[in-house]
Amino acid sequence: MARILVVDDEESIRDILSRRLLQWGHEVVTASGAEAALVHMRQAPAEIVLCDVIMPVHDGVWLLRQITEGWPSTIFVAVSGAQDMNTVVQMRKLGAVDFVPKPIGREMLHQALERALATLETRRSS
Amino acid sequence: MARSAPAAIGLLLTISATGVAQAPPSLEEVMTSFAAYMSAYAQDYAATIASEHYTQFAGRSRTILDSDFGTVRLPGSPWLGLRDVVRVNGAPVADREARLEELFTNASAAAGLNAQAAVRANRIVDESTRYNIGTVGRTINNPALVLELLDPGRHAAFRFSKDGEDTVAGIRTWRIAFVEQGSPTVISGADDRDLPATGHIWVDPASGRLVRAEVVIRFPFLNRPTKMGLGTVIITFKDVPEFHMWLPDTMIERYDELPGRRLQDGQATYTNYRRFRVESQENVDLPALPR
């Protein structure tokens, strides 16, 4: 189980993700933007961040850079629409371990989370 | 007064038309529209070439392939995605010519390729797979998978069920789950074992248009039979106005060893669509014009 921060400017996406992650037994906090996400991280760092790519003010790439610099052990997973594919590739190069395409399917979310948890386990044990 | 009557009737008709709630289509009706759409689509799509930008990840390795991508159907064979790799990690592929366009131009792709072209097409497929990275060998990593899997002639071997509704690319779509039940299956393992496909299609219920498709397969590892893998391929489509068609926009693939160990994944985008022309030359003996 992990503490997971969900970042998305769309409330409906935050709700869907939160509900599923809670069902799977994780601790979930949400943020509607990158700045709010950093506030959460400073208060109690999440082990996994699930973050939308396109958001107003600061996008997912900006937040990924902040997380990588400030909390290098945190696992970052991008959530994206099909039109954001080039940005997703950029985020993978910057260290995002996986991404979940929208609309968010249960299977794809589960796969991404399994991978994030496996990476987290590796980092914990190393 | 007399002139106002038609306007009043018109108004009534308008109200009447909007006041009647249309019954939602049944799954059978949507699938019939979808089958008709896919039949027409396969023919039109086969006449296009796209520029594909494809990034593959496997562990710490990454490779970027820039290719021409086209789709053909060989006589008596499945749909084939032809990836003619132009650049690998930015470096041009040596001794390469514009083979795909030449292949399509010289062969009557609409009616099927001739034998010589078929040999060349298979050579392009073989050559392109050597640029794939990762331990999972595959030929399903392209949009031709959708054409083959969702061919209307195969629908009887699938079970379809409505699973919900989603807005995709601005369209309110039906999310339809599918399970492949027939044998032999479209996708097979290296040992020729059936690998039944499951997944979802996102279909515009009004037109039968395919907006997104997700194909999932579970596969065993040849050298570790107790281990199972999970492969997922997602194709999204976009409106390409100059073609009056929705054409592949992105392809996402991922292969995991269960539970949760990512083996490899990749994503591709498709742009710069162009249509090749199959030109035939015929000599016709015209009757002499009367003098």
Side-chain angles (χ1 to χ4, degrees), chain B residues 127-143:
Chain B
E127 284 185 21
S128 70
T129 54
R130 70 189 164 106
Y131 298 111
N132 287 338
I133 60 169
T135 54
V136 180
R138 74 276 191 203
T139 57
I140 61 172
N141 53 339
N142 68 71

PDB file of all heavy atoms in Angstrom, chain B residues 127-143:
ATOM      1  N   GLU B 127      12.487  -6.524 -42.064  1.00  0.00           N
ATOM      2  CA  GLU B 127      13.556  -5.560 -41.794  1.00  0.00           C
ATOM      3  C   GLU B 127      13.191  -4.623 -40.655  1.00  0.00           C
ATOM      4  O   GLU B 127      14.037  -4.255 -39.832  1.00  0.00           O
ATOM      5  CB  GLU B 127      13.849  -4.748 -43.060  1.00  0.00           C
ATOM      6  CG  GLU B 127      14.651  -5.524 -44.086  1.00  0.00           C
ATOM      7  CD  GLU B 127      15.044  -4.662 -45.272  1.00  0.00           C
ATOM      8  OE1 GLU B 127      15.059  -3.437 -45.134  1.00  0.00           O
ATOM      9  OE2 GLU B 127      15.321  -5.238 -46.337  1.00  0.00           O
ATOM     10  N   SER B 128      11.912  -4.237 -40.603  1.00  0.00           N
ATOM     11  CA  SER B 128      11.521  -3.257 -39.582  1.00  0.00           C
ATOM     12  C   SER B 128      11.545  -3.867 -38.186  1.00  0.00           C
ATOM     13  O   SER B 128      11.860  -3.184 -37.216  1.00  0.00           O
ATOM     14  CB  SER B 128      10.134  -2.691 -39.878  1.00  0.00           C
ATOM     15  OG  SER B 128       9.146  -3.674 -39.681  1.00  0.00           O
ATOM     16  N   THR B 129      11.223  -5.180 -38.059  1.00  0.00           N
ATOM     17  CA  THR B 129      11.173  -5.781 -36.726  1.00  0.00           C
ATOM     18  C   THR B 129      12.559  -5.838 -36.084  1.00  0.00           C
ATOM     19  O   THR B 129      12.662  -5.904 -34.867  1.00  0.00           O
ATOM     20  CB  THR B 129      10.578  -7.208 -36.771  1.00  0.00           C
ATOM     21  OG1 THR B 129      11.312  -7.982 -37.729  1.00  0.00           O
ATOM     22  CG2 THR B 129       9.117  -7.177 -37.162  1.00  0.00           C
ATOM     23  N   ARG B 130      13.608  -5.788 -36.890  1.00  0.00           N
ATOM     24  CA  ARG B 130      14.941  -5.863 -36.270  1.00  0.00           C
ATOM     25  C   ARG B 130      15.290  -4.586 -35.505  1.00  0.00           C
ATOM     26  O   ARG B 130      16.222  -4.554 -34.716  1.00  0.00           O
ATOM     27  CB  ARG B 130      16.009  -6.186 -37.309  1.00  0.00           C
ATOM     28  CG  ARG B 130      16.328  -5.098 -38.300  1.00  0.00           C
ATOM     29  CD  ARG B 130      17.228  -5.648 -39.398  1.00  0.00           C
ATOM     30  NE  ARG B 130      17.286  -4.785 -40.561  1.00  0.00           N
ATOM     31  CZ  ARG B 130      18.334  -4.032 -40.859  1.00  0.00           C
ATOM     32  NH1 ARG B 130      19.374  -4.010 -40.081  1.00  0.00           N
ATOM     33  NH2 ARG B 130      18.317  -3.285 -41.948  1.00  0.00           N
ATOM     34  N   TYR B 131      14.537  -3.521 -35.732  1.00  0.00           N
ATOM     35  CA  TYR B 131      14.789  -2.289 -34.982  1.00  0.00           C
ATOM     36  C   TYR B 131      14.031  -2.263 -33.659  1.00  0.00           C
ATOM     37  O   TYR B 131      14.245  -1.368 -32.849  1.00  0.00           O
ATOM     38  CB  TYR B 131      14.403  -1.063 -35.820  1.00  0.00           C
ATOM     39  CG  TYR B 131      15.223  -0.935 -37.085  1.00  0.00           C
ATOM     40  CD1 TYR B 131      14.662  -1.135 -38.330  1.00  0.00           C
ATOM     41  CD2 TYR B 131      16.577  -0.607 -37.019  1.00  0.00           C
ATOM     42  CE1 TYR B 131      15.405  -1.022 -39.493  1.00  0.00           C
ATOM     43  CE2 TYR B 131      17.337  -0.492 -38.165  1.00  0.00           C
ATOM     44  CZ  TYR B 131      16.754  -0.704 -39.397  1.00  0.00           C
ATOM     45  OH  TYR B 131      17.505  -0.592 -40.531  1.00  0.00           O
ATOM     46  N   ASN B 132      13.099  -3.222 -33.448  1.00  0.00           N
ATOM     47  CA  ASN B 132      12.382  -3.279 -32.171  1.00  0.00           C
ATOM     48  C   ASN B 132      13.353  -3.606 -31.051  1.00  0.00           C
ATOM     49  O   ASN B 132      14.271  -4.412 -31.231  1.00  0.00           O
ATOM     50  CB  ASN B 132      11.297  -4.367 -32.204  1.00  0.00           C
ATOM     51  CG  ASN B 132      10.108  -3.972 -33.065  1.00  0.00           C
ATOM     52  OD1 ASN B 132       9.880  -2.789 -33.313  1.00  0.00           O
ATOM     53  ND2 ASN B 132       9.360  -4.955 -33.514  1.00  0.00           N
ATOM     54  N   ILE B 133      13.137  -3.007 -29.898  1.00  0.00           N
ATOM     55  CA  ILE B 133      13.943  -3.374 -28.731  1.00  0.00           C
ATOM     56  C   ILE B 133      13.038  -4.077 -27.728  1.00  0.00           C
ATOM     57  O   ILE B 133      11.817  -4.009 -27.812  1.00  0.00           O
ATOM     58  CB  ILE B 133      14.639  -2.155 -28.084  1.00  0.00           C
ATOM     59  CG1 ILE B 133      13.604  -1.120 -27.606  1.00  0.00           C
ATOM     60  CG2 ILE B 133      15.640  -1.539 -29.032  1.00  0.00           C
ATOM     61  CD1 ILE B 133      14.216  -0.027 -26.736  1.00  0.00           C
ATOM     62  N   GLY B 134      13.657  -4.765 -26.761  1.00  0.00           N
ATOM     63  CA  GLY B 134      12.896  -5.489 -25.751  1.00  0.00           C
ATOM     64  C   GLY B 134      12.890  -6.972 -26.032  1.00  0.00           C
ATOM     65  O   GLY B 134      13.252  -7.423 -27.119  1.00  0.00           O
ATOM     66  N   THR B 135      12.450  -7.723 -25.030  1.00  0.00           N
ATOM     67  CA  THR B 135      12.507  -9.180 -25.125  1.00  0.00           C
ATOM     68  C   THR B 135      11.244  -9.783 -25.729  1.00  0.00           C
ATOM     69  O   THR B 135      11.240 -10.950 -26.098  1.00  0.00           O
ATOM     70  CB  THR B 135      12.721  -9.791 -23.725  1.00  0.00           C
ATOM     71  OG1 THR B 135      11.694  -9.283 -22.855  1.00  0.00           O
ATOM     72  CG2 THR B 135      14.082  -9.421 -23.167  1.00  0.00           C
ATOM     73  N   VAL B 136      10.180  -9.009 -25.781  1.00  0.00           N
ATOM     74  CA  VAL B 136       8.922  -9.530 -26.331  1.00  0.00           C
ATOM     75  C   VAL B 136       8.893  -9.248 -27.833  1.00  0.00           C
ATOM     76  O   VAL B 136       8.700  -8.112 -28.267  1.00  0.00           O
ATOM     77  CB  VAL B 136       7.697  -8.884 -25.639  1.00  0.00           C
ATOM     78  CG1 VAL B 136       6.398  -9.435 -26.234  1.00  0.00           C
ATOM     79  CG2 VAL B 136       7.742  -9.133 -24.142  1.00  0.00           C
ATOM     80  N   GLY B 137       9.116 -10.292 -28.621  1.00  0.00           N
ATOM     81  CA  GLY B 137       9.007 -10.130 -30.065  1.00  0.00           C
ATOM     82  C   GLY B 137       7.544  -9.983 -30.444  1.00  0.00           C
ATOM     83  O   GLY B 137       6.676 -10.627 -29.861  1.00  0.00           O
ATOM     84  N   ARG B 138       7.255  -9.124 -31.394  1.00  0.00           N
ATOM     85  CA  ARG B 138       5.842  -8.937 -31.745  1.00  0.00           C
ATOM     86  C   ARG B 138       5.721  -8.285 -33.106  1.00  0.00           C
ATOM     87  O   ARG B 138       6.617  -7.568 -33.562  1.00  0.00           O
ATOM     88  CB  ARG B 138       5.093  -8.106 -30.690  1.00  0.00           C
ATOM     89  CG  ARG B 138       5.402  -6.602 -30.668  1.00  0.00           C
ATOM     90  CD  ARG B 138       6.631  -6.298 -29.863  1.00  0.00           C
ATOM     91  NE  ARG B 138       6.792  -4.877 -29.628  1.00  0.00           N
ATOM     92  CZ  ARG B 138       7.959  -4.305 -29.347  1.00  0.00           C
ATOM     93  NH1 ARG B 138       9.050  -5.007 -29.321  1.00  0.00           N
ATOM     94  NH2 ARG B 138       8.022  -3.018 -29.121  1.00  0.00           N
ATOM     95  N   THR B 139       4.559  -8.555 -33.708  1.00  0.00           N
ATOM     96  CA  THR B 139       4.208  -7.862 -34.944  1.00  0.00           C
ATOM     97  C   THR B 139       2.863  -7.154 -34.793  1.00  0.00           C
ATOM     98  O   THR B 139       2.291  -6.692 -35.764  1.00  0.00           O
ATOM     99  CB  THR B 139       4.132  -8.849 -36.123  1.00  0.00           C
ATOM    100  OG1 THR B 139       3.182  -9.867 -35.805  1.00  0.00           O
ATOM    101  CG2 THR B 139       5.475  -9.478 -36.421  1.00  0.00           C
ATOM    102  N   ILE B 140       2.368  -7.103 -33.546  1.00  0.00           N
ATOM    103  CA  ILE B 140       1.051  -6.495 -33.321  1.00  0.00           C
ATOM    104  C   ILE B 140       1.165  -5.009 -32.997  1.00  0.00           C
ATOM    105  O   ILE B 140       0.150  -4.370 -32.725  1.00  0.00           O
ATOM    106  CB  ILE B 140       0.289  -7.209 -32.179  1.00  0.00           C
ATOM    107  CG1 ILE B 140       1.065  -7.106 -30.860  1.00  0.00           C
ATOM    108  CG2 ILE B 140       0.025  -8.662 -32.547  1.00  0.00           C
ATOM    109  CD1 ILE B 140       0.279  -7.613 -29.656  1.00  0.00           C
ATOM    110  N   ASN B 141       2.379  -4.477 -33.024  1.00  0.00           N
ATOM    111  CA  ASN B 141       2.580  -3.097 -32.592  1.00  0.00           C
ATOM    112  C   ASN B 141       2.348  -2.108 -33.736  1.00  0.00           C
ATOM    113  O   ASN B 141       3.236  -1.325 -34.081  1.00  0.00           O
ATOM    114  CB  ASN B 141       3.986  -2.925 -31.989  1.00  0.00           C
ATOM    115  CG  ASN B 141       5.087  -3.409 -32.902  1.00  0.00           C
ATOM    116  OD1 ASN B 141       4.847  -4.204 -33.803  1.00  0.00           O
ATOM    117  ND2 ASN B 141       6.299  -2.923 -32.681  1.00  0.00           N
ATOM    118  N   ASN B 142       1.152  -2.141 -34.294  1.00  0.00           N
ATOM    119  CA  ASN B 142       0.788  -1.156 -35.311  1.00  0.00           C
ATOM    120  C   ASN B 142      -0.724  -1.166 -35.532  1.00  0.00           C
ATOM    121  O   ASN B 142      -1.403  -2.121 -35.142  1.00  0.00           O
ATOM    122  CB  ASN B 142       1.558  -1.418 -36.614  1.00  0.00           C
ATOM    123  CG  ASN B 142       1.133  -2.695 -37.274  1.00  0.00           C
ATOM    124  OD1 ASN B 142       0.028  -2.773 -37.805  1.00  0.00           O
ATOM    125  ND2 ASN B 142       1.982  -3.716 -37.237  1.00  0.00           N
ATOM    126  N   PRO B 143      -1.247  -0.120 -36.169  1.00  0.00           N
ATOM    127  CA  PRO B 143      -2.710  -0.010 -36.306  1.00  0.00           C
ATOM    128  C   PRO B 143      -3.353  -1.097 -37.159  1.00  0.00           C
ATOM    129  O   PRO B 143      -4.571  -1.266 -37.101  1.00  0.00           O
ATOM    130  CB  PRO B 143      -2.888   1.367 -36.970  1.00  0.00           C
ATOM    131  CG  PRO B 143      -1.664   2.137 -36.596  1.00  0.00           C
ATOM    132  CD  PRO B 143      -0.560   1.120 -36.579  1.00  0.00           C
TER     133      PRO B 143
END
